[in-house]
Structure formats: C-alpha cells, structure tokens
C-alpha cells in the first residue's frame, strides 16, 4: 500500500506525505526545493562540487555558511577550477571565500578543486585538488590537499605518494585540537579518457583507487599538522571519462560505530570499511552494503538525523536514501529533473550537506551552477 | 590523442611503507628532511611566489580539443565580463545543403548564421536574485536553398532567412515567489524559444522541427519567430512541480504595418523590419498564447526502490489567438474569387485567427548498461479551425532520437523524423479557381510530407558536425513547377552537412 502511495505521489509530482503512514525515512519529509544562489565566482569558474557547512565562525566565515568549491574554469575545463565561494544563509549573499593559484609548485599538476573539502572547528579549510591542464585526465596531475585559513589564504599543501586525485567528499571526526580525515583518492594510474578498453570500447577500468585516513593535530593558532596516514581501503574501481573527468570512490560518511561508508561509483555500490578510525591495515574493497537498484553512479553522501545515508546519483537527478544498518534502499527523490539531460538531471548532482538543524540538505546543480536547498 | 600514464608506479610494498610512516610524516610535516628512502615530504608551506598565470595569447590553441569555446576565454575578456555577471556567447552555424533530385533547380548552396547572445545575471551584477537581462543579435549569410531550388513549404533549414544583420531578442526575465514558482519575462521575444517547443525535435535541421509549419504560414509575417521577434510579456506559473502554466501577450505582428496591409502588399516580413528594431507595440492586434506543460518526473517526486527506471516525458497543450485582421485566401472583398478576372482585388478580411496544438517528448527506452543511451519519441500536431484565412490548416511532426548511439559517444545523437502539412481547403480552392479562370496548369495543392535522417556528432566541446538527409514528398503541396509550367515540382532528396561552432 505504501509503495502504491509513493508511486501515485511520484506520478502526481508530489512527495508522499508523512502523515500517510509512519515515516520510513527522511526524504518523504522534504517538499521544497529552492535555488539559493549562483556558485559562479568573479573569475567565472563553473561546475560546483563540494558543499560544506561551516561548523564555526572564523575569519571571513560565519557558522552555518555554505562553502562550495568549483572544479572547472570559465572555459568549462574540468580540473582547473580554483575557487571556493561562501553563501551566507542569513544575508543570502554569496562572496568568494578563496581563489587558489592555478599553478602551484607544491601541488603536482596544479589546482582543480574537488569534492574533498571540509572546514574544521578550528577554522581551517582543507580541500582536495585533482588538477588537469586540458580538462581531462590525459594531462592530470597527482594533485594535493590544500590547507587554507579562515580568511581563504592558502597556507600549506599536502602531497605525496599516498595522495593522487583526492576526490570524494570527506568524512571527518573533528575533536578540535585533533581530527581524523578520510579522503578517497581516484587518480592513481588513470590514463586519458581516450585510452579505451578494446573489449568494452569505454575507457579502461583500473582498480587502484584508495581511501586514505589522515590524522592531524591542530596546534593553537597554527595550521593543522599531519601526523599519520593510513590507507583504509584500496583496489577500488576508477576510470577516466570524457564528460565526467573520472569515475571513482566519491562519497564518504563515518558512522557512530566507526564504520566508514563509501560510494564506489563505477561498481554502483555503497561499501563499508569497519574500524575505520583504528585499523592499521587496508580493508581492501570493503564489504558491500547495497548495490544497483536506485543507485546510478552514487556520488556524495550525508547522514540524516535518522542515521540513514543520502546519496546523490550522478546518472540521474535523484538522491537515494539508504539504511546502512540493513543495507536497504528506502526510496529516492528527484531533486533535479532537468529534461535537458537524458535521463533527467544526468551529470547535474555532486556535493551534498545536511542543514545544521537536520531539516533538509544543501546540494549543487552542475548544469545551472547553483546552490540549492531541499527542506520540509 | 593518447596519453602515456604519467603517474608514478604504486605497489603494495610502498603502501605498506606508507602505513608505517605515521611518526615520520609528523616530522616531515614539521619541515625536517627525510633521512630514509621513504615517501617524499608531504607537507609544504606555501610561499607567495607561486601561481603566476601564463600570458600566452595562444594558450587556447594548445588545448583546442577540450576548450568550451574555440577561442577560449577571449584573452580574458570573458573572465573580466564574468566579474560583472555578464556572459557572452557567439555561435556560428554553417551548412551546405543541396538537392540531388527534384526541385526547381539542382545545386548545393551554402548558408550560415552567427548568433551573439549577451546575458547579465542580476545576482552577480547587482546582488539581486533571479533576474536575467538578455540581448541577442543575428548575422545571416549565404543563400536560401529552399527558396531558390526547393519550393517546399517545410523549408529545409531552420537558419535559412534573408541575408541581414539584425537585433533579435531583448528581454528581462525575473524569477519570483518561493522556489521560483513564478517567472516573468518582458521585452522583445522570439516565440520559438519558449512556445510549442519539442526538445527532442531541436536536433533536426529542417525548419519545422523548430517553429512549426502552421504558424509559419498563418501568423502575420510567419509569426514572431527566428529571425523575427516582437514585444510582449510572458508569465510562467508552476503551481505544483509537475505542472506549469505559461501565458503570453505579444504584439500581433512582428512589424509595424497591419497584417492585412502587409498581406496586400505581399511584402517580405523580414524587409518590413529589416534590422529588428521597429519594436511594433500592439498597433494592430494582440497575439495571446496559453500553454500547459506537464513534466514527469517532477521535482520532488518520490521513487520506490523497486520502481522501473524512470522514463522522462513532457506534454504540452496550447492555444494561440491573434486579434489582427487576416485576408481571405480564396475570396475578395467583392465576394468574387480572387482568381476571377472580374474580381476588384480587394481583400475580404476576417478578424482574428486561432490555432491549437499538442507536443509530446517521451523517453521510450534507457539502456541498463549505459544510462546515457536513451531512445526518445517526439510528436507535435497543430491545427486551426479557420480554413478561409489560412494557407495551412494542419501540421505535424513525429520522430525518434537516439542519444549516445554508439559506445562512449555520450554527446552524439541520431535522429529520424518527419513532418507533414496540409494545405487549407480554401487555398486549394483558390488553386482550382486559378486553373479554371486562367486555363493554365495550376494543380490544387494538397499536402507535403518530408522525412529527415540526421546524425549530430560532438567533435569537440565547441564543434558539432551534423550530416543530414531529407526527402520531400510533393514539394509545396503539389505546386506547379515554375520552370516547366506543366508539371509539379518533383520529389526532392536533399543532402548536406551542418557545423555548429561555439566561438
């Protein structure tokens, strides 16, 4: 009966009303989808990726502000975006928070800001770079993680053999003076998008992507210092793509029981890595929590108040809600139905972040270069 | 262009070494040089002398395969304009089309169009959400194959027009109400951009997949559609996510003259407003339009876990009414057939004209292996109840578009479409009258049908190449060939290639 109601509601273009029955999850409470702001900064950068809600007020940022990174430059070349914008929900103004130099000797290959971004309670912003010269992985660099202060000033970079294409949205356990960051690395070994597998006629699939755990300490008044790093997952699938730059592990979310969940986009799965904060060895490709079904190239992830996971789809404009405990896919909602893409919303979604009060979530639409808010 | 993998080799041995590097990395982070053959320093303090931009004026040429526009960001002009919320797009469409059978002549002609669009986003420019100011201009060049060779009603190319440089659209659009549920657009508009649109049909080259045949023949001057436009107001209201209601009120004709006077003179409407700057503001009548748009999936629509893959669809139902005066196509003001030599040639005028239409775009199939690969159906039909004042009484389009038709060609499209148009019975009656009174060969026009097959290949982000083939049955509805005077225009096979170049 409930399924019928949901289907009827979908046909009518309405979300199922929670009063119809006991709620199954979070998405059925979401009815409003509002465009908040353009994410294009002064230099014309395009393709918003990461969405992060500021946990504190520091520097130029107010607590609750939304930081958004851009992956493309004004010529729409992927892996060349250098800006982070700051949307203030109170004033409804968007300002440029940071612009990082395109060419940066300390960041192999330069700068193209990805979905791997976080703002720590200490005010430091850490963002990934997976750079390219020509908008494809043909000219990719290994990239780095960039550390910015709360005024948007770049103060340090983290690069090295464990870092290659820091890509997906970060999972963070932030304790103030120290923090644990999880970042997916999608770059290892990825050739250009025209290197095709003769069997499939699509770019070759590699299994070298990793998830890296970074332990940092934050000395008072000083930039965070990396104290240790551990590969907690490896052997994950990745491949280049002409339209989407790269497919690889993207969304990360850390559970209360120290299970790290990750979207493995190319395999169309959500995987789990147990004991993510404490393990000293790689968990390999993890265990599969759920696969296929409503998932269609799953990207960024966020926790709902019910401890479900919201997952944005890359191949359509849906966000999918899953219960990671049971592995059940509960339902999905169209949060971008742009019919200019086929299927609707294809390639539009990426970053995702819950509102601080848990009443909804922020997301970006790459086709319109806008920040959106979905609420009750 | 193949690229050698430039990433350094990674091994499990190395990864194990990295797992163990905790304390070492801490030291490295503090700036102490590594003493062991272990991972290189991972943390670097950024100095101020990094990141100087390159000033190579030909940088865009080095990356011509991936740039979004052929000329990149126009030597930073785009970037400077973007700073003020201004975007500029310039696109050249060039094509060579020719008829290899039928027609009045046989030849290949070149024609082209340069479009320039400037948009100002109010939020970026003034900090005010939801406004867009748009101005566009056209430079039309080359020859008009349909006019010179084909004599077809459903002209072969949507960019064919009189050679000119003209202003096209000038409007301001404002989003209003929460969730942008109301959208208001005021200014000079080209109605083919927002009305009667089939999104899948826009792939094709033939004119009638854009602005349909019926209004092209029946509205004053062919209606305010490319390359013409007219002042007016459009309101779009989205009461629920799946449904939008679009209402419009525009000047009745895209030129300052009254429609009846323009019909009497036989003037070319593109000549009546040669530069697009006459701004005809409701002098002689009003064109009113209403369109209902139903879209699925709708924003916010829920999807059950075992639901079948969603297949998108859009339905549009619309009606237009033009309050101008329209001359009877068969009879004159004196009640005699216009073809009668005794006719005084005066016009028999009718007030108002009306058309109703429906449009559907529907995804029929989506590949389970590659979601980008979809087969889409489109259809559009329009009719008018007034045969006495209209040359065309009905027109329709139908077609299929396969997107991502070949492996890893996600931005390519393959299309097969057709167009049909019926000449109004009164115009056919005029043809009969002409034959009767003049004693010359003048067959009654009936209908015209064409089929088109096309393949649009995205060569680079800024370049599309589109080979195209059309076959026209009964060109002109069966009109006499002026070259022979004794036969109809023969069925035409038109072949050609179009290029869209984003500059």
């Amino acid at each position: 009966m409930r399924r019928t109601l949901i289907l009827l509601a979908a046909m009518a273009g309405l979300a199922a009303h929670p009063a119809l029955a006991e709620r199954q999850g979070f998405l059925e409470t979401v009815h409003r989808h509002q465009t908040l702001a353009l994410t294009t900064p002064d230099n014309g950068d395009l393709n918003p990726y990461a969405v992060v809600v500021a946990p504190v007020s520091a520097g130029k940022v107010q607590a609750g502000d939304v930081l958004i990174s851009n992956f493309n430059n004004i010529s729409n070349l992927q892996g060349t975006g250098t800006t982070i914008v700051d949307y203030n929900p109170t004033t409804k103004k968007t300002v440029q928070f940071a612009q990082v130099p395109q060419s940066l000797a300390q960041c192999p290959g330069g700068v193209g800001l990805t979905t791997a971004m976080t703002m720590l309670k200490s005010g430091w912003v850490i963002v990934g770079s997976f750079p390219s010269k020509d908008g494809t992985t043909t000219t990719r660099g290994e990239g780095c993680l960039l550390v910015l202060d709360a005024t948007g000033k770049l103060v340090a970079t983290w690069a090295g053999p464990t870092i290659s294409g820091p890509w997906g949205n970060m999972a963070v356990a932030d304790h103030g003076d120290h923090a644990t960051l999880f970042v997916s690395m999608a770059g290892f070994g990825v050739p250009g998008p025209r290197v095709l597998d003769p069997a499939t006629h699509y770019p070759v699939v590699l299994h070298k992507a990793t998830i890296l755990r970074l332990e940092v300490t934050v000395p008072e008044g000083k930039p965070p210092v990396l104290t240790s790093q551990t590969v907690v997952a490896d052997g994950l699938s990745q491949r280049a793509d002409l339209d989407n730059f790269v497919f690889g592990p993207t969304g990360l979310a850390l559970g209360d029981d120290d299970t790290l969940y990750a979207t493995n986009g190319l395999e169309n799965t959500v995987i789990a890595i147990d004991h993510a904060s404490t393990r000293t060895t790689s968990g390999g490709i993890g265990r599969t929590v759920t696969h296929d079904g409503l998932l269609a190239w799953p990207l960024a992830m966020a926790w709902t108040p019910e401890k479900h996971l919201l997952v944005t789809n890359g191949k359509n404009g849906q966000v999918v809600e899953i219960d990671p405990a049971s592995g059940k896919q509960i339902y999905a909602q169209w949060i971008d139905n742009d019919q200019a893409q086929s299927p609707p919303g294809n390639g539009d979604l990426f970053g995702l972040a819950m509102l601080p009060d848990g009443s909804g979530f922020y997301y970006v639409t790459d086709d319109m270069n806008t920040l959106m808010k979905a609420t009750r | 262009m193949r690229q050698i993998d430039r990433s350094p080799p990674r091994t499990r041995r190395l990864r194990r070494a990295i797992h163990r590097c905790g304390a070492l990395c801490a030291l490295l982070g503090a700036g102490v040089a590594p003493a062991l053959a272990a991972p290189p320093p991972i943390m670097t303090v950024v100095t101020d002398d990094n990141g100087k931009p390159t000033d190579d004026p030909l940088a865009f040429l080095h990356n011509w395969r991936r740039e979004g526009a052929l000329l990149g960001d126009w030597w930073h002009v785009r970037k400077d304009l973007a700073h003020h919320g201004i975007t500029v797009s310039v696109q050249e469409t060039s094509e060579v089309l020719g008829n290899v059978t039928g027609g009045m002549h046989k030849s290949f002609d070149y024609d082209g169009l340069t479009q320039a669009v400037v948009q100002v986003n109010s939020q970026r420019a003034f900090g005010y959400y939801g406004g867009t100011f748009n101005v566009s201009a056209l430079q039309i060049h080359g020859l008009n194959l349909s006019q010179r060779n084909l004599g077809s009603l459903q002209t072969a190319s949507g960019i064919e027009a009189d050679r000119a440089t003209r202003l096209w659209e000038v409007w301001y659009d404002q989003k209003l109400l929460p969730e942008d549920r109301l959208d208001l657009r005021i200014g000079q508009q080209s109605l083919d951009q927002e009305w009667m649109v089939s999104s899948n049909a826009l792939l094709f080259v033939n004119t009638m997949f854009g602005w349909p045949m019926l209004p092209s023949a029946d509205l004053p001057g062919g209606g305010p559609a490319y390359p013409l436009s007219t002042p007016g107001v459009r309101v779009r209201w989205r009461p629920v996510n799946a449904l939008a209601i679009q209402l419009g009120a525009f000047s009745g004709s895209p030129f300052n003259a009254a429609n009846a006077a323009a019909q009497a003179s036989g003037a070319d409407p593109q000549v009546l407003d040669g530069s697009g700057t006459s701004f005809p503001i409701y002098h002689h009548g009003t064109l009113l339009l209403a369109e209902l748009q139903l879209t699925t999936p709708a924003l916010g629509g829920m999807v059950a876990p075992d639901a079948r893959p969603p297949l998108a669809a859009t339905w549009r139902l619309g009606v237009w009414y033009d309050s101008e005066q329209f001359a009877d196509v068969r009879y004159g003001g004196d009640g005699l057939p216009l073809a009668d030599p005794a006719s005084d040639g005066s016009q028999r005028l009718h007030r108002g004209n009306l058309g109703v239409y429906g449009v559907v775009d529907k995804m029929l199939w989506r590949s389970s292996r590659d979601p980008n690969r979809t087969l889409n159906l489109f259809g559009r039909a329009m009719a008018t109840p007034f045969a006495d004042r209209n040359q065309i009484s009905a027109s329709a389009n139908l077609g299929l578009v396969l997107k991502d038709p070949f492996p890893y060609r996600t931005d390519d499209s393959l299309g097969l479409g057709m167009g049909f148009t019926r000449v109004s019975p009164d115009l056919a009656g005029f043809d009969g009258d002409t034959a009767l009174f003049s004693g010359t060969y003048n067959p009654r026009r009936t209908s015209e049908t064409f089929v088109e097959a096309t393949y649009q290949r995205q060569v680079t982000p800024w370049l599309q190449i589109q080979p195209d083939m059309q076959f026209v049955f009964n060109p002109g509805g069966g009109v006499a060939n002026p070259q022979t005077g004794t036969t109809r225009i023969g069925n035409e096979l038109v072949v050609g290639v179009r290029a869209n170049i984003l500059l």
Side-chain angles (χ1 to χ4, degrees), chain B residues 103-386:
Chain B
M104 298 176 287
H105 312 277
K106 291 189 188 67
S107 69
F108 279 82
D109 286 349
Y110 164 83
D111 68 303
L113 163 70
T114 310
Q115 299 178 72
V117 183
V118 178
Q119 290 199 334
V120 183
N121 182 284
S122 68
Q123 190 179 31
R124 296 279 306 124
F126 316 113
Y128 180 69
Y129 173 78
T132 304
F133 173 73
N134 175 97
V135 58
S136 56
L138 310 170
Q139 209 296 315
I140 304 158
H141 37 277
L143 299 171
N144 189 327
L145 180 84
S146 299
Q147 214 169 57
R148 282 161 42 89
N149 287 18
L150 305 181
S152 54
L153 295 167
Q154 301 167 100
T155 48
S157 165
I159 66 166
E160 286 175 336
D162 292 356
R163 277 176 284 194
T165 300
R166 49 190 311 135
L167 180 69
W168 194 24
E169 292 190 297
V170 188
W171 47 254
Y172 179 76
D173 189 298
Q174 181 65 51
K175 293 177 168 57
L176 298 163
L177 300 183
E179 298 183 89
D180 303 337
R181 291 201 176 272
L182 191 67
D183 188 300
L184 180 70
R185 180 173 292 186
I186 184 163
Q188 180 154 289
Q189 301 171 49
S190 181
L191 303 197
D192 53 352
Q193 302 300 295
E194 289 198 313
W195 299 89
M196 314 170 198
V197 175
S198 161
S199 53
N200 285 299
L202 296 176
L203 165 73
F204 293 86
V205 171
N206 189 284
T207 310
M208 301 312 157
F209 289 115
W211 187 239
M213 181 69 241
L214 192 144
S216 295
D218 296 347
L219 275 176
Y226 170 86
L228 305 176
S229 52
T230 198
V233 180
R234 186 273 286 146
V235 177
R236 185 188 297 131
W237 179 46
R238 191 164 52 90
V240 293
N241 286 338
L243 181 72
I245 299 164
Q246 185 167 284
L247 303 172
F250 299 90
S251 190
S253 28
F255 39 71
N256 270 312
N259 179 50
Q263 287 182 318
S265 69
D268 180 345
Q270 294 174 53
V271 173
L272 289 175
D273 181 8
S275 61
T277 55
S278 67
F279 305 115
I281 300 178
Y282 303 101
H283 284 312
H284 307 284
T286 305
L287 174 60
L288 301 170
L289 303 99
E291 187 174 295
L292 203 63
Q293 302 169 347
L294 188 66
T295 303
T296 177
L299 187 65
M302 299 294 287
V303 186
D306 55 354
R308 295 171 64 190
L311 299 174
T314 302
W315 290 271
R316 292 179 171 87
L317 283 174
V319 58
W320 56 260
Y321 173 78
D322 195 311
S323 67
E324 286 247 15
Q325 287 192 311
F326 293 80
D328 197 287
V329 295
R330 185 174 186 184
Y331 295 102
D334 55 4
L336 295 174
L338 289 165
D340 187 339
S343 166
D344 64 6
S346 61
Q347 289 177 311
R348 182 178 186 176
L349 296 177
H350 303 280
R351 173 64 71 181
N353 206 347
L354 179 76
V356 293
Y357 62 91
V359 187
V360 61
D361 284 280
K362 180 157 179 52
M363 190 186 294
L364 297 178
W365 169 82
R366 192 182 73 171
S367 164
S368 57
R369 183 170 174 271
D370 183 350
N372 293 308
R373 185 164 301 144
T374 59
L375 181 65
N376 303 274
L377 170 80
F378 68 89
R380 179 173 57 186
M382 188 178 295
T384 174
F386 301 126

Side-chain angles (χ1 to χ4, degrees), chain A residues 3 6-7 10 12-16 27-28 31-38 40-44 74-75 77 93 101 103-106 133-134 136 138-140 142 154-163 188-189 193-196 200-203 210 224 226-231 234 239 241-243 280 282 294 315-316 318 329-337 339 342-344 346, chain B residues 1-8 10 12 14-15 18-19 21-23 25-26 29-30 39-48 50-52 63 65-69 72-73 78-79 82-83 121 123-124 127 129 178-181 199 240-242 295-307 310 312-314 363 366 369-374 376 403-404 406-408 410-411 459:
Chain A
R3 190 168 296 148
I6 289 172
L7 284 173
L14 303 167
L27 283 177
E28 64 195 86
H31 302 289
R32 296 162 59 85
H33 305 77
Q34 187 182 351
T35 304
L36 296 178
L38 278 177
T40 312
D42 286 351
N43 73 349
I74 192 170
S75 297
L77 296 178
K93 302 286 185 196
S103 173
L104 199 62
Q106 296 92 336
K133 301 293 184 200
D134 70 347
T136 76
T138 303
T139 54
R140 72 177 177 85
E142 301 301 338
L154 179 64
V155 295
T157 64
W158 298 340
T162 54
I163 291 177
F188 291 118
R194 296 182 193 280
V195 180
L196 304 183
T200 63
H201 305 290
Y202 287 84
T210 66
L226 193 57
T227 55
S228 73
Q229 50 178 340
T230 306
V231 175
D234 67 342
R239 82 157 166 85
D241 190 78
L242 210 49
D243 291 334
T280 56
S282 170
L294 292 168
K315 286 292 176 190
N316 60 39
Q318 294 177 12
Q329 296 181 16
I330 299 169
Y331 39 42
Q333 184 181 93
W334 288 95
I335 57 172
D336 182 321
N337 69 330
Q339 305 258 339
S342 177
N346 185 0
Chain B
M1 184 168 61
R2 300 292 172 102
Q3 181 75 16
I4 297 167
D5 178 5
R6 296 165 15 146
S7 65
R10 297 287 191 280
R12 287 189 176 277
L14 176 60
R15 233 181 255 125
I18 292 163
H19 294 165
C21 91
C25 289
I42 196 169
M43 182 168 176
T44 314
V45 175
V46 174
T47 54
D48 290 337
N50 287 304
K52 287 177 182 161
N63 193 25
R65 289 184 69 150
R66 292 305 304 165
E67 286 282 353
D73 81 344
R78 281 186 206 272
K79 204 168 281 185
H83 184 73
N121 182 284
Q123 190 179 31
R124 296 279 306 124
Y129 173 78
E179 298 183 89
D180 303 337
R181 291 201 176 272
S199 53
V240 293
N241 286 338
T295 303
T296 177
L299 187 65
M302 299 294 287
V303 186
D306 55 354
T314 302
M363 190 186 294
R366 192 182 73 171
R369 183 170 174 271
D370 183 350
N372 293 308
R373 185 164 301 144
T374 59
N376 303 274
K403 295 180 178 173
D404 185 23
F406 308 113
Y408 202 38
T410 50
D411 298 318
V459 180

Side-chain angles (χ1 to χ4, degrees), chain A residues 318-329:
Chain A
Q318 294 177 12
V319 60
V320 183
E321 182 169 347
I322 64 173
D323 177 359
S326 65
K328 183 185 173 193
Q329 296 181 16

